[in-house]
Amino acid sequence: MAAHLSYGRVNLNILREAARKELREFLDKCAGSKAIVWDEYLTGPFGLIAQYSLLKEHEVEKMFTLKNGRLPPADVKNIIFFVRPRLELMDIIADNITSEDRHHSSRDFHILFVPRRSMLCEQRLKEQGVLASFINIDEYILDLIPYDGDLLSMEYESAFRECYLENDQTSLYHTAKGLMTLQALYGTIPQIYGKGECARLVANMMLRMKREFAGSQNQILPVFDTLLLLDRNVDLLTPLATQLTYEGLIDEIYGISNGYVKLPPEKFAQKKQGEGSKDLPTEPKKLQLNSAEELYAEIRDKNFNAVGAALSKKAKIISAAFEERHNAKTVGEIKQFVSQLPHMQAARSSLANHTSIAELIKDITSAYIIQCFPIKSHYVNTYIEDCIAQKDPLIKILRLVCMQSVCNNGLKHKVMDYYKREILQTYGYEHILTLNNLEKAGLLKPQTGSRNNYPTIRKTLKLWMEDANEQNPNDISYVYSGYSPLSIRLTQILARPGWRSIEEVLKMLPGPHFEERQQLPSGLHKKRQQGENRTTLVFFLGGVTYAEIAALRFLSQVEDSGMEYVIATTKLINGTTWIKSLMDRPESPTQ
Amino acid sequence: MAFITASWNPLGDAFYRSTDLYEMSWSLRDGLRDSLVAAAPYGGPIALLREPQRRSPSSRPQLEIYSASGGTVASFPWKSGPVVQLGWTVSDELLCIQEDGTVLIYDLFGSFKRHFSMGQEVVQSQVMEAKVFHSPYGTGIAIVTSSSRFTLATNIDDLKLRRLPEVPGLQGKPSCWVVLTQDRQTKVLLSNGPELFILDNTSCTVVCPPGLSPQDGNIVHMSVSFSYKYLALLTDSGHLWTALLLHPFNLEFTCLPRCRRPKSQQPSVVLMWDRLLLVVGVCNETIQYPIEDPCVLVGEMDGVRIISSSNQELLQEVPLVCQDIFKIASMAPGALLLEAHREYEKSSQKADEYLREIKEQSMLGEAVRQCVEAAGHEYDTNTQKSLMRAASFGKCFLTDFSPDQFVTTCRELRVLNAVRDSSVGLPLTHTQFKQLTLQVLIDRLVYRQFYPLAIEVCRYLKIPDYQGVSRVLKHWASCKVQQKDLTDDAIARAVCMKVGDSPGVSYSDIAAKAYECGRAELAIKLLDFEARSGEQVPLLLKMKRSQLALSKAVESGDTDLGECFTGRSQPLQTGFCKLQEQETLKDLYNQDDDHQELANYYVTASYREKRLEGRLSLLQSAVDEYNKAKNEFAVKTTEDEMRLLRFQRKLDDEKGAGLLGLSLQVTMETLLSLGLHKQAEQLYKDFRVPDKRYWWLKLKSLAEKEEWDELEKFSKSKKSPIGYLAFVEVCIKCNNKYEAKKYVSKVTPEQKVKAHLAVGDLEGAADAAIERRNEAEIGAVLSRCSASNSLVIERLNRARAAIAKK
């Protein structure tokens, strides 16, 4: 089921198996038949760990969504609540249980906090008078979820917001904990680099925790050579631009959630005319996207402009393969051909799906795309002004405005006030809170006297490439058709020639940069074979985009880089979801 | 070597030997006479209270504590009441049981730790005798009062006093008594004249040991073995009676079989008179040792230590394996191997003969094992060495012999020799060491503050840091913080330097200790080194350093730690309150004078308010706060918002427009679509809406409503800020080519081509493009031409050619 996790440089299936084992252990703690009541947010991440079949093996017979009122009837011995430690959820659970009591049943209640139990929540349950009803109160430490063969995500949506707006470091604490778990399974990571305030905090916590857990020295040969912690706010620009890789565009337009995407069904209904009648065209088409699918693994990280060619090449190969049957003469040859059929059919349906998706994306107008290019500011002003006048989607406006601000080390006071007034008048005064948040996060700021460092940073790090080769890329800038993500450039330079070469630029970027070493027990020092690649775990605090991931995968594949990357993050983001997470929408009075 | 057996004395089939342990390094003026002495088993410390009964207040008795080798550990005058009994706990604490039933506990260095009482009734009746005993559950105390009542406490660390029932016919103290313990039960065995009683929680039963008749006289002494397995009774007629206690509490006795073939250790009884020590075996034989001064006997699991004022000996049965090896003319494989090695060192060929002899019996492995085992039991290092060398020699002739036992014994012997040194004074036998375990040995070294030695031992035996070095360092640091003569800084530095990042050392424990000793500042300094913030916070709170605790909690990043702070009146971090109620948040901002956030809070709240008045008043509060925060833009904007709300309300009331809550732009849109142009115009002016946006709005709105005349009027009202191409395109979008054409002429030259193309006028587009001599535009027009427009195509191609020529 999760074979694709073990193909990568680092076998992430170990992590998944560890998580599954723990889940099984908890389920077995509650003997007898059970029903799970889900905090809906958790179902997605859990899907990456365990399918329903695993739960079923452990006598889970029913599943419900957590909501107020009486629990749906179920003839089971145990009711288990899977919840995040949030007070409002505790109130719902309390409500469930109090209404249950009236119907005098003798079911056992359990609660599983994900990812950590909290005194506050237990206190709340106690206040509500239901704490004693629980037989088991446990925590399920699910920090880093294996997402793909080289990708881990905490699926912690509010991490960026909490860190930069609310000054709440909970997510960093969980990050550090997650990294400790990872080290317990994959060995101590000898080198830690970092850039940014949060990176520093996470590294500090990790070193602290290491001292704390110290007694038992980890005797596992380290799999990762280096850990790089990067704050999202070191590179605020990248997520604002529209990702131009195939996967990036799917995410930008349709949104990928926990490895699944929901697509408008029309294109897909036509494809399967024979059985299409069963498919209701109103139901969105749900597709799983990961490296288990051969074709997808091949094209996901390509610039969208190169996808068409790749698809048609693939189409030729597949039809050629089907043509093979005419050449099959002997019984043996035919047998061999038949044995390949399932694989070929899967390839064909995969090709059909992706051709449809590519068509869908192509239909979306280029107006959708926000690109990062050196344009004179008054053109930008006019463009943004026009967009507002035409009432383009607010998030697009915000992305544009923030982008202008970030690139220019702030906006002129007059311009900024003008934008703000325009936005508030057009989209509603309630967005004053959102604008305030963007300012707090540093995405939007008035120009101060200080020099604009951005051009220096841009030039030193070669962020804007004139002629990006989209078909056969030779630089990471292909993922944004000419713009190289700053975050990835920093990663690239760290591997070679090292950060010392860009001290000056690092100082211009926010937050400290640092290097820490973790002592390995003697005997665990790796003896590296000639030509063996090193492995770096790059952790993006506050989110990472698919395009950035694509760029890192590109770097892993460059032959002489000598470095392979595994990516971890608090959350997979794109400009829309990211800006959305920073928006405040006060509830309307009447609805 | 041959003299090893010189100190052996046969007793039945067994041999007894006495080994000199130490020349006592103390100098006791009056010997051990008239003193209360308590020496702990397992080579424990010795406490000595001189003349405890002397009651004159002028001369206070001296309480002295020595190591087992007689080294002074502590000495202080006894200021409290008369002491009946001294004793040691399993964790090397000194118990002093006073006449009035108070028990005072001191540590090894004579500093007072705590006290407790053996019960109220004891205060009047007074303690006659007391005994300290050990069980797997800890150290217990039993007393008998002058009213002949017994009281028991089985574990002094978990004090539960039990008063035992009365013994019928007992006046004063019993002639002798012992405490028996097994499993969770503890009972007292006592004699009154010839009678023997067993006393437990509820009853007192008479017991009649078989083979002991009342004619044998009164029982004057009784003793129970270290393991509570054997009991010995001595009557005043000189009968010594011993028994194996099958089950101590039912007191089923079995008479010991006489002279059984020895394969196991035989029980024997040691009796001491003023000048004579007598070892009595079950085979009715005795060994006599004359003694010169009063001695103290300390029962060990494998022997008896005899402490006199000048020296200390260990009297024990010679372990079987040593008997086998050293017994004269022994032919045991070990003995032969030892002999072989001895000859080998003499370069004598006899070595070969001995070896062959062993090998012929295929006993070489056994021989090596015997030598190694015997080495463990020997106290003399030379004997140890020769045995180990012999073992090592024998090992050479074995191919697959596991070296584990050899290596372990070597290591353990080194450790034992080190702790037996008289400067340390822990005379442990190998058997005792095994029973005590290494962990406890390290603890004992630590209690005695032999920190460097303890660390050496840990390192030498490769004990994981967590259980070894770290534990030692923790004790050391806890002791260090109590040194009153050092400054906080010096101590903190010393602790940090030594302990560093040693795994498993909890700085908060050390800090807690420092705080206990009243050194709060030191505690804070030490807490800084603590890795687990979770551990720092509670202690800091206990020390009432809430502010510091708070910042530590924040630093830890564990939001849950914030829990410690709820309900405390002090500025909280918002992070913690996020989970709490909105109101709390507001109070917080208020406390912090965070006007900006407070204003934002009011804005948020205003959207939850249903009534307009409420909403406006909240917005007014927001304005006030924004003012305080000097956020002019926000003040202005919020005032605008209020103005808009009032305006919307008014129009809703007048015209039922349903505007309330809409954005300014949507409001204007709605007004225009309702035909309320004047009102829209008013908003446009009042809110200083940019012309561009307003023109776009009005253009779209008029076109949608197909008010073409109105649109034309509007287009002429002044020069369009959005140009006229927009007019063309919007009209086309509304499918009105006719209207669109009206605006084509007004379009700027740059946009002419586009405008013509938009209305589908190819000729016009061609004209414009040719006029502008713009190749790209010509191309654009060409691409829109179909075959029917051959004329236009021709013209365009010609123009393009002309441009190209230039």
Side-chain angles (χ1 to χ4, degrees):
Chain A
M1 199 54 236
H4 62 286
L5 293 179
S6 35
Y7 293 151
R9 167 71 188 234
V10 174
N11 183 358
L12 295 182
N13 214 15
I14 298 174
L15 185 63
R16 185 171 182 265
E17 278 309 321
R20 284 165 72 95
K21 183 164 159 260
E22 210 183 320
L23 182 62
R24 280 197 292 260
E25 273 165 13
F26 175 78
L27 289 174
D28 289 343
K29 232 191 245 179
C30 320
S33 57
K34 24 197 158 302
I36 295 178
V37 182
W38 286 96
D39 169 357
E40 210 166 10
Y41 181 86
L42 290 176
T43 49
F46 261 83
L48 294 164
I49 297 296
Q51 264 73 28
Y52 183 51
S53 57
L54 179 137
L55 300 177
K56 215 167 176 180
E57 275 165 32
H58 293 265
E59 296 178 82
V60 175
E61 290 171 2
K62 290 266 167 58
M63 311 236 264
F64 307 120
T65 306
L66 183 65
K67 54 175 182 269
N68 268 314
R70 205 183 143 193
L71 288 168
D75 185 23
V76 289
K77 193 166 171 303
N78 301 286
I79 304 276
I80 312 176
F81 293 93
F82 278 33
V83 288
R84 286 167 294 160
R86 301 213 166 189
L87 290 182
E88 64 271 19
L89 299 178
M90 296 306 112
D91 294 347
I92 301 179
I93 292 178
D95 189 42
N96 282 170
I97 288 182
T98 38
S99 26
E100 179 82 2
D101 279 346
R102 265 179 265 134
H103 305 285
H104 51 267
S105 78
S106 58
R107 302 196 275 193
D108 289 345
F109 293 103
H110 313 269
I111 195 162
L112 187 64
F113 283 113
V114 186
R116 245 164 270 291
R117 61 193 290 180
S118 120
M119 289 194 274
L120 272 178
C121 287
E122 281 168 47
Q123 185 67 31
R124 183 62 150 247
L125 289 173
K126 202 171 172 188
E127 280 164 21
Q128 303 263 22
V130 294
L131 188 66
S133 319
F134 292 100
I135 309 247
N136 280 312
I137 296 184
D138 242 308
E139 61 183 8
Y140 183 64
I141 302 171
L142 188 67
D143 288 322
L144 284 166
I145 306 162
Y147 215 97
D148 211 326
D150 58 353
L151 181 57
L152 299 161
S153 170
M154 292 169 65
E155 289 305 285
Y156 196 113
E157 202 153 23
S158 49
F160 185 84
R161 184 190 172 102
E162 284 178 8
C163 289
Y164 295 99
L165 289 189
E166 290 160 0
N167 199 15
D168 174 358
Q169 298 161 1
T170 313
S171 66
L172 303 182
Y173 178 73
H174 288 183
T175 304
K177 283 267 181 194
L179 282 166
M180 294 313 284
T181 313
L182 203 66
Q183 291 189 89
L185 291 171
Y186 296 97
T188 306
I189 306 176
Q191 269 184 317
I192 304 176
Y193 292 93
K195 171 74 193 165
E197 213 68 63
C198 294
R200 182 68 263 185
L201 283 170
V202 169
N204 285 351
M205 284 186 214
M206 280 172 70
L207 297 176
R208 256 162 198 281
M209 287 172 188
K210 183 162 185 244
R211 273 166 59 188
E212 180 177 330
F213 295 129
S216 46
Q217 261 186 345
N218 192 336
Q219 294 297 340
I220 298 170
L221 197 69
V223 173
F224 298 105
D225 300 283
T226 313
L227 166 67
L228 170 60
L229 294 161
L230 278 179
D231 271 31
R232 185 70 269 175
N233 88 330
V234 171
D235 177 13
L236 291 170
L237 185 58
T238 301
L240 291 172
T242 306
Q243 313 168 57
L244 295 176
T245 59
Y246 181 55
E247 190 171 37
L249 271 170
I250 296 177
D251 186 40
E252 292 272 350
I253 298 169
Y254 299 106
I256 302 174
S257 136
N258 297 305
Y260 285 91
V261 66
K262 283 181 182 167
L263 297 161
E266 300 81 20
K267 289 264 182 194
F268 298 93
Q270 297 162 3
K271 292 285 162 187
K272 299 180 189 168
Q273 271 160 344
E275 55 216 85
S277 52
K278 273 179 265 169
D279 272 296
L280 287 174
T282 45
E283 193 103 335
K285 168 100 177 164
K286 199 172 171 187
L287 275 181
Q288 190 172 19
L289 299 175
N290 61 39
S291 54
E293 192 184 341
E294 196 185 314
L295 175 63
Y296 186 63
E298 209 172 293
I299 59 171
R300 67 198 300 185
D301 299 321
K302 286 191 186 304
N303 185 296
F304 184 68
N305 289 334
V307 167
L311 285 175
S312 70
K313 200 171 113 197
K314 191 74 182 181
K316 274 178 205 143
I317 294 172
I318 289 175
S319 59
F322 273 100
E323 285 311 306
E324 284 279 300
R325 68 177 185 273
H326 299 303
N327 303 339
K329 295 273 164 27
T330 67
V331 178
E333 279 168 355
I334 292 170
K335 199 174 165 196
Q336 203 199 344
F337 176 80
V338 171
S339 73
Q340 284 171 351
L341 263 181
H343 175 78
M344 284 159 60
Q345 270 156 353
R348 190 155 64 173
S349 96
S350 151
L351 178 69
N353 280 339
H354 288 290
T355 314
S356 305
I357 297 174
E359 279 169 19
L360 277 171
I361 293 175
K362 215 163 198 163
D363 290 347
I364 306 287
T365 53
S366 61
Y368 190 89
I369 289 169
I370 301 167
Q371 248 181 297
C372 198
F373 269 123
I375 309 171
K376 290 218 177 77
S377 67
H378 70 266
Y379 282 124
V380 180
N381 291 351
T382 325
Y383 178 67
I384 294 177
E385 205 180 2
D386 287 347
C387 287
I388 297 175
Q390 310 255 26
K391 256 182 100 182
D392 279 353
L394 173 61
I395 290 192
K396 178 184 171 186
I397 308 293
L398 294 176
R399 279 171 84 164
L400 284 167
V401 171
C402 291
M403 188 182 251
Q404 195 187 357
S405 167
V406 173
C407 285
N408 295 296
N409 193 27
L411 295 169
K412 287 203 184 90
H413 225 288
K414 226 178 82 192
V415 177
M416 178 149 140
D417 279 1
Y418 178 74
Y419 283 154
K420 276 161 72 177
R421 216 160 60 91
E422 283 291 278
I423 290 169
L424 294 175
Q425 287 191 353
T426 311
Y427 300 94
Y429 285 107
E430 66 268 28
H431 296 295
I432 190 169
L433 299 173
T434 299
L435 291 174
N436 184 51
N437 287 347
L438 294 176
E439 281 182 63
K440 246 191 186 172
L443 278 161
L444 196 59
K445 59 181 178 186
Q447 248 167 22
T448 48
S450 62
R451 214 170 78 87
N452 180 10
N453 287 325
Y454 190 74
T456 322
I457 296 170
R458 194 188 73 210
K459 276 173 208 146
T460 319
L461 299 183
K462 298 199 189 75
L463 295 187
W464 292 355
M465 304 293 271
E466 288 287 312
D467 44 356
N469 188 338
E470 291 169 350
Q471 304 294 331
N472 294 303
N474 49 10
D475 181 75
I476 54 169
S477 60
Y478 85 92
V479 296
Y480 284 98
S481 289
Y483 163 72
S484 324
L486 168 71
S487 53
I488 309 305
R489 200 61 104 197
L490 288 181
T491 313
Q492 188 183 11
I493 292 173
L494 177 68
R496 188 184 294 171
W499 274 0
R500 219 157 289 160
S501 62
I502 50 163
E503 274 302 311
E504 285 301 305
V505 169
L506 283 174
K507 275 184 199 145
M508 290 173 190
L509 295 168
H513 57 282
F514 61 89
E515 179 185 350
E516 296 283 353
R517 271 167 203 281
Q518 298 200 90
Q519 210 69 53
L520 287 180
S522 52
L524 287 188
H525 292 283
K526 241 188 195 174
K527 285 173 197 70
R528 199 171 305 281
Q529 243 103 69
Q530 187 75 41
E532 192 191 334
N533 284 348
R534 301 167 63 83
T535 308
T536 296
L537 176 66
V538 190
F539 204 118
F540 293 89
L541 301 163
V544 68
T545 65
Y546 285 99
E548 287 173 298
I549 294 168
L552 281 178
R553 287 189 182 135
F554 169 79
L555 288 180
S556 295
Q557 280 158 17
V558 171
E559 250 171 54
D560 57 349
S561 71
M563 187 65 84
E564 286 195 46
Y565 295 96
V566 174
I567 302 120
T569 183
T570 49
K571 173 80 186 158
L572 288 155
I573 56 165
N574 59 47
T576 307
T577 57
W578 187 46
I579 294 287
K580 238 184 210 161
S581 80
L582 293 173
M583 288 174 75
D584 262 322
R585 288 171 191 277
E587 309 107 75
S588 315
T590 41
Q591 282 103 22
Chain B
M1 277 298 156
F3 306 121
I4 282 180
T5 47
S7 63
W8 291 15
N9 286 299
L11 184 76
D13 292 330
F15 287 92
Y16 279 77
R17 69 178 177 193
S18 79
T19 316
D20 279 329
L21 296 179
Y22 299 115
E23 292 289 321
M24 298 304 277
S25 54
W26 61 26
S27 54
L28 299 177
R29 231 179 327 128
D30 308 316
L32 294 166
R33 213 180 293 277
D34 296 330
S35 300
L36 253 185
V37 182
Y42 293 105
I46 306 168
L48 201 85
L49 185 62
R50 209 169 292 284
E51 299 177 47
Q53 300 303 328
R54 190 165 13 159
R55 288 177 191 231
S56 85
S58 54
S59 64
R60 291 198 166 116
Q62 194 75 7
L63 180 66
E64 289 160 349
I65 300 174
Y66 295 99
S67 73
S69 58
T72 308
V73 178
S75 168
F76 57 96
W78 184 253
K79 292 176 191 163
S80 208
V83 176
V84 179
Q85 181 73 36
L86 295 174
W88 291 95
T89 70
V90 281
S91 48
D92 280 350
E93 290 164 323
L94 179 61
L95 301 174
C96 304
I97 305 158
Q98 294 192 141
E99 217 169 56
D100 60 0
T102 312
V103 181
L104 294 95
I105 306 180
Y106 291 82
D107 76 5
L108 197 59
F109 294 92
S111 42
F112 176 74
K113 294 185 86 168
R114 63 190 174 95
H115 74 94
F116 61 87
S117 166
M118 289 299 286
Q120 269 310 306
E121 66 281 358
V122 185
V123 181
Q124 279 120 41
S125 52
Q126 305 232 309
V127 180
M128 298 283 287
E129 273 185 1
K131 286 189 198 299
V132 175
F133 59 94
H134 304 285
S135 71
Y137 306 101
T139 303
I141 292 177
I143 55 162
V144 56
T145 62
S146 56
S147 54
S148 312
R149 293 295 294 269
F150 285 87
T151 304
L152 269 181
T154 31
N155 182 2
I156 56 155
D157 291 322
D158 176 22
L159 196 66
K160 283 193 196 86
L161 293 178
R162 288 195 287 140
R163 197 148 184 245
L164 302 185
E166 224 166 314
V167 182
L170 179 63
Q171 296 287 322
K173 65 171 187 172
S175 43
C176 58
W177 58 289
V178 288
V179 182
L180 304 173
T181 165
Q182 191 182 3
D183 294 335
R184 287 187 170 278
Q185 302 179 58
T186 307
K187 296 186 183 188
V188 171
L189 181 69
L190 67 129
S191 71
N192 186 19
E195 285 172 299
L196 202 57
F197 298 94
I198 186 112
L199 198 55
D200 64 19
N201 279 354
T202 51
S203 61
C204 178
T205 340
V206 181
V207 278
C208 306
L212 188 72
S213 66
Q215 286 79 33
D216 290 331
N218 294 335
I219 300 165
V220 286
H221 278 292
M222 62 172 78
S223 177
V224 67
S225 72
F226 199 78
S227 55
Y228 296 107
K229 257 190 191 156
Y230 302 104
L231 176 71
L233 304 173
L234 182 70
T235 65
D236 57 0
S237 59
H239 280 84
L240 180 68
W241 181 92
T242 60
L244 173 69
L245 296 179
L246 280 187
H247 198 290
F249 301 121
N250 302 333
L251 273 193
E252 283 174 28
F253 298 106
T254 10
C255 284
L256 292 166
R258 281 158 194 270
C259 296
R260 205 176 54 169
R261 286 275 148 217
K263 268 300 160 199
S264 66
Q265 302 263 3
Q266 284 285 319
S268 57
V269 182
V270 177
L271 296 127
M272 183 176 68
W273 282 268
D274 272 356
R275 301 228 166 253
L276 182 71
L277 196 75
L278 198 65
V279 183
V280 186
V282 280
C283 45
N284 285 341
E285 288 176 31
T286 58
I287 311 167
Q288 298 189 3
Y289 291 98
I291 47 174
E292 282 119 37
D293 13 72
C295 290
V296 176
L297 297 185
V298 186
E300 298 279 4
M301 62 181 297
D302 57 349
V304 153
R305 274 190 295 141
I306 306 159
I307 304 170
S308 77
S309 58
S310 59
N311 66 344
Q312 181 171 180
E313 287 170 53
L314 173 69
L315 177 65
Q316 65 173 166
E317 186 187 335
V318 180
L320 277 178
V321 63
C322 297
Q323 288 186 31
D324 281 345
I325 290 182
F326 294 114
K327 216 157 58 179
I328 293 161
S330 166
M331 290 301 279
L336 292 175
L337 180 60
L338 188 63
E339 203 51 45
H341 181 246
R342 215 172 276 157
E343 294 300 334
Y344 170 75
E345 290 202 315
K346 281 191 249 164
S347 314
S348 153
Q349 86 287 356
K350 278 192 191 155
D352 182 53
E353 284 169 29
Y354 283 120
L355 264 179
R356 266 175 213 287
E357 200 177 333
I358 308 169
K359 279 193 121 175
E360 268 159 26
Q361 306 169 49
S362 1
M363 293 295 269
L364 190 52
E366 178 58 23
V368 173
R369 261 188 295 278
Q370 279 187 350
C371 284
V372 171
E373 202 188 324
H377 290 300
E378 286 302 322
Y379 216 85
D380 175 53
T381 49
N382 288 324
T383 317
Q384 289 168 3
K385 277 183 201 159
S386 61
L387 284 164
M388 289 312 269
R389 287 209 182 98
S392 160
F393 174 67
K395 225 152 57 67
C396 300
F397 301 94
L398 287 166
T399 44
D400 52 349
F401 186 80
S402 160
D404 288 352
Q405 193 205 6
F406 183 85
V407 174
T408 319
T409 307
C410 265
R411 289 206 175 123
E412 286 172 353
L413 275 177
R414 271 198 76 176
V415 170
L416 281 177
N417 289 337
V419 300
R420 281 169 187 168
D421 189 277
S422 81
S423 62
V424 179
L426 274 173
L428 285 174
T429 64
H430 192 254
T431 321
Q432 289 166 17
F433 167 71
K434 282 297 191 198
Q435 179 70 24
L436 195 64
T437 74
L438 181 59
Q439 289 302 324
V440 180
L441 174 62
I442 291 168
D443 277 348
R444 299 226 155 158
L445 288 174
V446 163
Y447 292 146
R448 288 164 175 72
Q449 301 186 359
F450 291 115
Y451 300 115
L453 178 62
I455 289 183
E456 281 299 302
V457 169
C458 293
R459 296 216 170 111
Y460 179 66
L461 294 182
K462 298 203 169 64
I463 304 173
D465 277 359
Y466 205 71
Q467 301 156 12
V469 175
S470 294
R471 231 154 43 106
V472 179
L473 283 172
K474 196 169 105 189
H475 281 284
W476 169 79
S478 302
C479 166
K480 187 84 183 169
V481 295
Q482 299 176 43
Q483 292 187 354
K484 297 205 169 61
D485 49 335
L486 289 175
T487 66
D488 290 347
D489 265 337
I491 292 178
R493 219 172 318 123
V495 168
C496 173
M497 240 168 62
K498 277 257 164 46
V499 177
D501 279 350
S502 301
V505 183
S506 156
Y507 277 97
S508 57
D509 287 355
I510 304 171
K513 193 90 200 170
Y515 180 61
E516 252 172 54
C517 309
R519 303 188 73 158
E521 284 309 312
L522 176 59
I524 291 171
K525 284 197 167 78
L526 288 169
L527 270 182
D528 264 349
F529 299 115
E530 174 60 54
R532 293 165 294 179
S533 309
E535 301 287 312
Q536 296 173 329
V537 175
L539 182 61
L540 283 169
L541 281 177
K542 202 167 123 198
M543 291 164 62
K544 305 206 165 49
R545 302 294 173 110
S546 328
Q547 206 58 50
L548 199 56
L550 180 66
S551 70
K552 290 286 177 198
V554 173
E555 203 178 296
S556 81
D558 185 354
T559 322
D560 219 33
L561 278 178
E563 159 72 4
C564 307
F565 298 94
T566 46
R568 281 165 197 271
S569 62
Q570 55 187 322
L572 298 183
Q573 290 290 314
T574 48
F576 297 144
C577 286
K578 204 183 59 177
L579 297 170
Q580 302 282 34
E581 311 301 327
Q582 288 289 326
E583 279 301 307
T584 331
L585 210 56
K586 180 185 143 194
D587 293 345
L588 263 180
Y589 294 142
N590 236 330
Q591 274 178 22
D592 287 358
D593 287 333
D594 189 342
H595 300 296
Q596 174 74 26
E597 285 301 333
L598 200 52
N600 289 343
Y601 167 79
Y602 283 126
V603 171
T604 315
S606 81
Y607 285 92
R608 280 197 300 266
E609 186 63 53
K610 281 190 177 128
R611 293 171 313 115
L612 182 66
E613 290 71 28
R615 202 164 159 183
L616 287 170
S617 87
L618 280 167
L619 285 173
Q620 186 55 52
S621 309
V623 169
D624 295 345
E625 294 300 328
Y626 278 132
N627 254 323
K628 284 184 202 157
K630 298 204 169 61
N631 188 340
E632 280 167 44
F633 177 82
V635 171
K636 179 106 201 345
T637 312
T638 313
E639 280 170 353
D640 281 354
E641 183 178 3
M642 292 164 72
R643 201 142 50 93
L644 179 65
L645 283 170
R646 289 201 188 96
F647 178 89
Q648 290 170 333
R649 172 60 165 277
K650 196 171 130 241
L651 271 191
D652 283 359
D653 287 352
E654 286 171 8
K655 320 250 169 182
L659 298 172
L660 197 65
L662 299 178
S663 79
L664 179 65
Q665 182 83 351
V666 181
T667 308
M668 292 192 297
E669 258 173 50
T670 317
L671 288 174
L672 287 174
S673 74
L674 289 172
L676 299 167
H677 292 272
K678 230 177 81 190
Q679 283 81 353
E681 197 83 11
Q682 190 194 335
L683 284 180
Y684 157 62
K685 280 180 186 143
D686 283 1
F687 286 85
R688 294 196 288 128
V689 175
D691 289 349
K692 269 193 185 174
R693 184 147 54 83
Y694 188 69
W695 275 68
W696 266 110
L697 177 63
K698 192 150 180 179
L699 163 64
K700 277 187 183 167
S701 171
L702 291 174
E704 257 158 44
K705 286 177 68 191
E706 310 200 332
E707 296 186 4
W708 306 114
D709 296 341
E710 198 67 33
L711 184 61
E712 197 171 349
K713 242 198 273 171
F714 175 57
S715 77
K716 286 172 183 162
S717 62
K718 68 179 199 186
K719 186 172 181 290
S720 162
I722 53 172
Y724 292 92
L725 181 61
F727 280 77
V728 177
E729 281 173 345
V730 170
C731 290
I732 292 293
K733 221 176 185 178
C734 296
N735 297 318
N736 196 330
K737 217 186 227 180
Y738 173 77
E739 286 295 328
K741 278 183 179 161
K742 283 187 185 167
Y743 304 103
V744 172
S745 59
K746 291 188 158 185
V747 169
T748 56
E750 295 82 41
Q751 294 177 328
K752 272 262 161 64
V753 180
K754 245 186 185 171
H756 281 291
L757 284 179
V759 297
D761 176 8
L762 282 178
E763 302 226 358
D767 289 344
I770 292 165
E771 192 180 325
R772 282 171 47 73
R773 297 166 167 255
N774 184 318
E775 205 178 345
E777 282 176 4
I778 293 172
V781 181
L782 270 173
S783 71
R784 292 278 297 272
C785 292
S786 59
S788 58
N789 308 113
S790 54
L791 253 168
V792 182
I793 294 174
E794 199 180 318
R795 270 178 57 205
L796 284 170
N797 279 335
R798 236 185 295 131
R800 191 150 69 171
I803 297 165
K805 254 183 214 162
K806 280 185 185 170

